[in-house]
Structure formats: C-alpha cells, structure tokens
Amino acid sequence: KQWYQRRVREETSPAGVFGNTYIFPLHATDLTNLPPAYVLVATADTLKDEGEWYAEYLRHFQNEAVSVVVKHCHGFMGQYNENNIAREELLKIKTFIGEKISK
C-alpha cells in the first residue's frame, strides 16, 4: 500500500494532481450535498480501506452512502462477462441507481 501511495505521489505531484479533491475526495474538507453513493470495494484491493473511509466520510457529511465489500480482487468489475460476482454487483448497482432516479 505504501508503494502505491508513494507511486501516485511521484506520478502526480509535478502537475499538482495529488491535492485535487475531485481525484482524491478524501482530501476534501467539505462533502456536503452530494448525490447518493454506492461504494463497492474488494477484499483483496490496495484501495479497500480508502473506499470504506470514503463511504464513511460521505456519511459524516450527511450524504447517503451504501458501502459494500465483496470477497474478490481489485478490478474484478471489469470481468463482468466471465464473473458471476461482478454481474451480481452490477445488477445491485443498477437497482440502486434506478431507485434513486425514480424518487
């Protein structure tokens, strides 16, 4: 994880991207009035903790945030054609969005 964070800083710091709260929302000081979020993370993902923290941070600012952890690896959603777990999660996301749009 430290390797990843160090690498991101090295690759993005010259352009000042690391401090961009649109790219790194956990650095934002205010996340009020955001739309509902469905935060899906995998157990074997270097960004799992950050995903869970993000959902909690959204809730801290009174936003609706559903946090889901699945037993899988980073990038599994890109394999939805061959992966039942990814397909199931994609359907849950579709339902979540549909419910929010219909309100």
Side-chain angles (χ1 to χ4, degrees):
K1 187 174 198 162
Q2 290 176 348
W3 174 89
Y4 174 80
Q5 291 172 339
R6 195 170 49 254
R7 176 111 176 146
V8 168
R9 284 190 191 104
E10 290 168 4
E11 290 181 0
T12 59
S13 61
V17 177
F18 192 70
N20 185 326
T21 57
Y22 289 103
I23 297 171
F24 297 97
L26 285 173
H27 293 189
T29 57
D30 184 6
L31 293 177
T32 56
N33 299 317
L34 292 177
Y38 190 98
V39 181
L40 174 65
V41 296
T43 53
D45 189 337
T46 55
L47 297 173
K48 176 184 171 285
D49 293 341
E50 285 80 358
E52 291 179 308
W53 294 335
Y54 179 56
E56 189 60 37
Y57 202 36
L58 287 169
R59 288 189 285 270
H60 173 77
F61 284 98
Q62 308 305 311
N63 296 295
E64 179 184 354
V66 173
S67 182
V68 178
V69 180
V70 296
K71 189 174 181 179
H72 222 296
C73 61
H74 178 87
F76 79 98
M77 289 300 289
Q79 304 164 351
Y80 63 89
N81 284 329
E82 303 107 24
N83 187 312
N84 288 334
I85 296 172
R87 276 195 298 277
E88 290 170 12
E89 291 305 319
L90 196 57
L91 289 173
K92 290 176 188 177
I93 293 167
K94 179 182 172 188
T95 300
F96 178 82
I97 293 170
E99 289 171 355
K100 302 308 166 193
I101 291 173
S102 66
K103 285 185 177 181

